[in-house]
Amino acid sequence: LGSCLVVFLMLWVPFEAAFGAESDSILRVILILRVVDVFFVADFIGRACFRFSSEDGRLVAEAKAHPSPREIARAYWRSGLLAVDAFALLPLDLLPGCNSSSKLAASCALPKILRAAHLPAVLELFISPTMPTKRFYACKSGLIIFTACLCCHWAGCAWWGILPANDIEWGSTGDQYAAALHWAVSLFTFKAHTQESMLPGERLFAVLWMIFSWVFFTVLLSDTVVDISTQLGLQRSTQGRLRNAASFLQEHQLPVDLQQRLDRYF
């Protein structure tokens, strides 16, 4: 549930900060943030006092048998996540001047996304190289696609925040988000965009976003090459074992049923 709330915040807070209307009621935003804060406070107390911790300080499900609350709190502090979680719990949207509109309140809630620092440890529990190969690469591919979509979502929201949209009629909020997402996806996939950048800040952000996309695809390509090399090495190793087993069966002239059983095993 905590991971689902973090993913929700990663999607909703940037969208609300970029596309929230100044006239929208702030009560909806404040209510959502307080519900999230209640869960995060409970999770913070649980992690600091009751949640098991691993030897390297990361908070995961496995742990030594019966650690004391002091040992758990010390591991939580050494991991660096305690300071991150404490900062994410601050209700910055309640500060004077920050609750004048839903857009401003959501902008002040952006630090809550720092709770995403827990996601890698959670993903390690569900996506592991020890799982079946097809399932592992299917989960890994899904995670890469989700990461790319999330980055485009963030970039589109950030671009809309710096875009001088007052001079152009963009239509409804859905049309505005579609235009922003189209801009982000176009530059992310190295496709020219029809909306010409005008402001220096917008040009700089477009350049940084394209550099990020180059780095993303470079890392993805190198990781794919490593995976292919690993699979080819495993395949050659398996074929070598099969050849050794076949030569062993021919040299020792084992019974036919035993040969069939060994053949099925390998």
Side-chain angles (χ1 to χ4, degrees):
L1 180 58
S3 301
C4 293
L5 277 178
V6 171
V7 173
F8 167 75
L9 288 178
M10 294 167 70
L11 295 171
W12 175 74
V13 172
F15 179 85
E16 191 69 30
F19 299 97
E22 300 292 340
S23 58
D24 284 351
S25 174
I26 195 176
L27 181 60
R28 172 177 56 87
V29 176
I30 297 298
L31 181 61
I32 293 176
L33 293 178
R34 295 295 77 78
V35 171
V36 171
D37 282 344
V38 167
F39 179 85
F40 281 173
V41 167
D43 185 66
F44 180 82
I45 296 174
R47 287 178 184 275
C49 302
F50 306 108
R51 186 72 58 86
F52 294 115
S53 61
S54 62
E55 294 297 332
D56 58 359
R58 289 184 304 170
L59 305 180
V60 294
E62 295 82 5
K64 54 184 180 180
H66 298 290
S68 66
R70 178 175 297 181
E71 291 173 334
I72 296 176
R74 188 180 299 116
Y76 193 15
W77 173 261
R78 286 198 303 264
S79 68
L81 294 177
L82 187 145
V84 173
D85 291 345
F87 181 69
L89 285 175
L90 296 177
L92 300 179
D93 54 287
L94 296 181
L95 293 175
C98 294
N99 54 4
S100 58
S101 68
S102 60
K103 187 174 184 178
L104 187 56
S107 300
C108 295
L110 286 173
K112 296 186 183 300
I113 300 179
L114 293 175
R115 293 275 304 188
H118 292 283
L119 290 181
V122 176
L123 290 174
E124 287 181 1
L125 301 177
F126 299 97
I127 303 178
S128 171
T130 57
M131 63 194 307
T133 305
K134 291 184 178 179
R135 186 182 304 173
F136 171 73
Y137 284 108
C139 294
K140 188 175 180 180
S141 301
L143 181 61
I144 292 173
I145 293 173
F146 174 77
T147 303
C149 294
L150 185 62
C151 291
C152 290
H153 172 75
W154 286 349
C157 293
W159 175 73
W160 188 263
I162 62 177
L163 181 69
N166 295 330
D167 299 334
I168 305 176
E169 183 63 35
W170 293 95
S172 64
T173 303
D175 296 334
Q176 296 172 5
Y177 178 72
L181 189 62
H182 178 250
W183 176 90
V185 173
S186 297
L187 293 188
F188 187 72
T189 54
F190 315 114
K191 178 183 177 183
H193 192 262
T194 55
Q195 177 65 32
E196 182 182 357
S197 299
M198 299 300 295
L199 294 178
E202 187 184 354
R203 291 194 183 100
L204 177 61
F205 181 74
V207 170
L208 294 177
W209 175 237
M210 293 186 69
I211 292 175
F212 172 82
S213 66
W214 296 341
V215 174
F216 181 88
F217 283 108
T218 300
V219 172
L220 178 61
L221 180 61
S222 61
D223 187 67
T224 303
V225 171
V226 170
D227 287 340
I228 293 176
S229 302
T230 303
Q231 290 300 315
L232 290 176
L234 292 175
Q235 187 177 5
R236 287 193 294 267
S237 176
T238 303
Q239 290 175 351
R241 289 198 300 268
L242 289 175
R243 285 194 298 269
N244 293 336
S247 61
F248 178 84
L249 294 177
Q250 292 176 359
E251 290 176 3
H252 294 79
Q253 297 181 353
L254 299 178
V256 179
D257 359 342
L258 183 57
Q259 292 185 18
Q260 292 175 350
R261 290 170 59 188
L262 289 174
D263 187 59
R264 284 195 301 269
Y265 176 79
F266 287 101

